[in-house]
């Protein structure tokens, strides 16, 4: 009888002791991420039943592709956190913008890690991470041709760019350059240039294609793309277009005359006259993974993918 009571007491005490530990968690994570603000705010709480001593909190800007240098990370040391208590940390990524990390243009997700160095023994070590997917949260990812990069930036032959190279990445959209196909067959690999357009359209800087194609790869945006929209200015010559690699090699002709269905995606081109040519939108509706487009005197802007 007495022995039974002792065992019961031991069982009770060990149950109490097992639960007697801090448990750090990322309670809330809010992110503001646009052209001017790149901030994350996290509330770190101790939901355990014991005070926690000193620990670290990391804010990672996860990238695609990952930068060789200047990977965006902010580290904080929290001196301690009482049981039931919480602390709010404000991480400002903007000062970490650097050409090496494409001025934070490759960041698609913010990850907050509590106690990554294992300085606090917790009752639950598996609830110390919270993620915030930038694109998926807003359901839209765009490439708007900066700045950055500055006006005058060129890609293609004069810049020594190899066909197929990724030259610009923004919000998970990777842009590469390819040869342009003439209607008569044959083709060229000339130049694309970041510049203000000669006739107003889009917003701010645009990209001019002169006998070169741009390919936009949307696989890194962090959501399933159901629509892609861009604005164009066509001041002469003909255009190339392909969606998800179709047709092979590309459609060559007037953009406004493009097939209504390409690569399993519907194609709608609107157009209205401007001095010297026309302007309008290209809207692709369906699962777009890749879009290749270029012209001879064609400018484009605001290439946006939507969830
Ligand atoms: Ca924990
Ligand atoms: Ca821990
Ligand atoms: Ca623009
Ligand atoms: Ca044209």
């Amino acid at each position: 009888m007495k022995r039974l009571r002792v065992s019961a007491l031991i069982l009770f005490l060990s149950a109490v002791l097992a639960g007697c530990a801090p448990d750090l968690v990322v309670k809330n994570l809010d992110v503001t991420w646009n052209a001017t603000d790149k901030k994350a705010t996290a509330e770190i709480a101790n939901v355990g039943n014991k005070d926690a001593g000193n620990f670290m909190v990391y804010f990672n800007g996860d990238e695609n592709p990952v930068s060789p240098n200047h990977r965006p990370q902010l580290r904080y040391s929290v001196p301690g956190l009482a049981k039931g208590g919480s602390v709010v940390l404000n991480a400002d990524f903007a000062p970490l913008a650097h050409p090496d990390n494409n001025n934070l243009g490759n960041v698609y997700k913010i990850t907050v890690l509590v106690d990554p160095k294992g300085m606090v023994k917790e009752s639950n070590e598996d609830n110390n991470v919270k993620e915030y997917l930038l694109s998926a949260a807003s359901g839209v990812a765009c490439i708007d041709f900066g700045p950055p990069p500055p006006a005058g930036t060129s890609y293609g032959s004069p810049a020594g760019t190899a066909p197929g190279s990724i030259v610009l990445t923004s919000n998970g959209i990777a842009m590469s350059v390819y040869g342009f196909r003439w209607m008569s067959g044959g083709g060229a690999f000339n130049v694309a240039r970041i510049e203000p357009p000669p006739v107003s359209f889009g917003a701010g800087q645009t990209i001019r294609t002169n006998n070169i194609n741009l390919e936009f790869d949307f696989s890194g945006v962090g959501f399933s793309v159901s629509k892609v929209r861009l604005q164009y200015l066509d001041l002469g010559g003909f255009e190339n277009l392909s969606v998800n690699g179709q047709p092979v090699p590309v459609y060559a002709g007037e953009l406004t005359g493009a097939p209504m269905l390409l690569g399993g995606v519907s194609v709608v081109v609107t157009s209205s006259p401007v001095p010297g040519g026309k302007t309008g939108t290209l809207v692709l509706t369906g699962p777009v993974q890749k879009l290749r487009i270029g012209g001879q005197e064609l400018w484009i802007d605001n290439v946006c993918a939507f969830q």
Side-chain angles (χ1 to χ4, degrees):
M1 184 72 174
K2 193 171 184 182
R3 182 171 293 170
L4 197 64
R5 227 177 258 168
V6 170
S7 332
L9 185 66
I10 287 168
L11 266 175
F12 173 75
L13 280 175
S14 50
V16 166
L17 284 170
C20 195
D23 183 11
L24 302 168
V25 297
V26 189
K27 203 170 169 189
N28 290 302
L29 174 58
D30 290 315
V31 177
T32 304
W33 202 272
N34 53 46
T36 45
D37 289 327
K38 291 180 167 55
K39 289 177 178 157
T41 301
E43 182 184 4
I44 311 300
N46 181 356
V47 298
N49 48 20
K50 197 181 178 195
D51 296 350
N54 177 228
F55 61 93
M56 300 294 292
V57 177
Y58 289 178
F59 286 72
N60 290 340
D62 298 322
E63 304 173 289
N64 179 19
V66 174
S67 308
N69 302 298
H70 296 91
R71 288 163 71 165
Q73 184 182 66
L74 291 153
R75 291 181 287 265
Y76 297 88
S77 176
V78 179
L81 196 54
K83 61 178 177 184
S86 70
V87 61
V88 172
L89 299 175
N90 293 297
D92 187 1
F93 282 84
L96 304 183
H98 190 281
D100 281 359
N101 60 31
N102 190 27
N103 292 297
L104 302 174
N106 302 341
V107 175
Y108 68 95
K109 188 171 72 179
I110 303 299
T111 302
V112 177
L113 302 152
V114 180
D115 194 29
K117 312 277 270 179
M119 295 157 77
V120 173
K121 193 161 164 44
E122 302 164 59
S123 55
N124 185 352
E125 300 282 2
D126 297 324
N127 58 0
N128 290 20
V129 180
K130 204 170 183 95
E131 298 179 338
Y132 188 105
L133 203 52
L134 297 180
S135 309
S138 51
V140 56
C142 299
I143 185 162
D144 66 3
F145 309 107
T153 303
S154 293
Y155 313 108
S157 251
T161 316
S165 311
I166 294 175
V167 291
L168 187 62
T169 306
S170 181
N171 293 310
I173 304 173
M175 185 183 88
S176 46
V177 284
Y178 285 90
F180 186 74
R181 180 94 175 169
W182 291 326
M183 281 173 78
S184 55
F189 180 69
N190 196 23
V191 64
R193 188 171 184 269
I194 304 283
E195 59 182 42
V199 175
S200 177
F201 89 104
Q205 295 183 166
T206 64
I207 191 164
R208 175 188 194 166
T209 60
N210 176 341
N211 293 280
I212 197 166
N213 279 327
L214 307 174
E215 184 170 277
F216 299 93
D217 181 341
F218 303 100
S219 57
V221 297
F223 55 83
S224 300
V225 176
S226 67
K227 188 194 269 190
V228 167
R229 184 180 181 275
L230 64 78
Q231 293 168 278
Y232 72 89
L233 170 69
D234 178 3
L235 294 185
F238 59 89
E239 289 76 44
N240 281 180
L241 181 69
S242 82
V243 180
N244 297 338
Q246 296 295 323
V248 178
V250 287
Y251 163 78
E254 265 310 301
L255 187 60
T256 44
M260 292 167 70
L261 195 65
L262 283 178
V265 170
S266 97
V267 179
V268 174
V269 183
T270 66
S271 139
S272 55
V274 292
K278 55 197 169 193
T279 186
T281 59
L282 165 68
V283 180
L284 306 172
T285 308
V288 184
Q289 290 103 42
K290 284 181 179 178
L291 159 67
R292 193 179 291 197
I293 186 170
Q296 298 180 294
E297 290 180 70
L298 182 79
W299 287 254
I300 65 174
D301 198 13
N302 293 327
V303 180
C304 292
F306 302 89
Q307 193 169 15

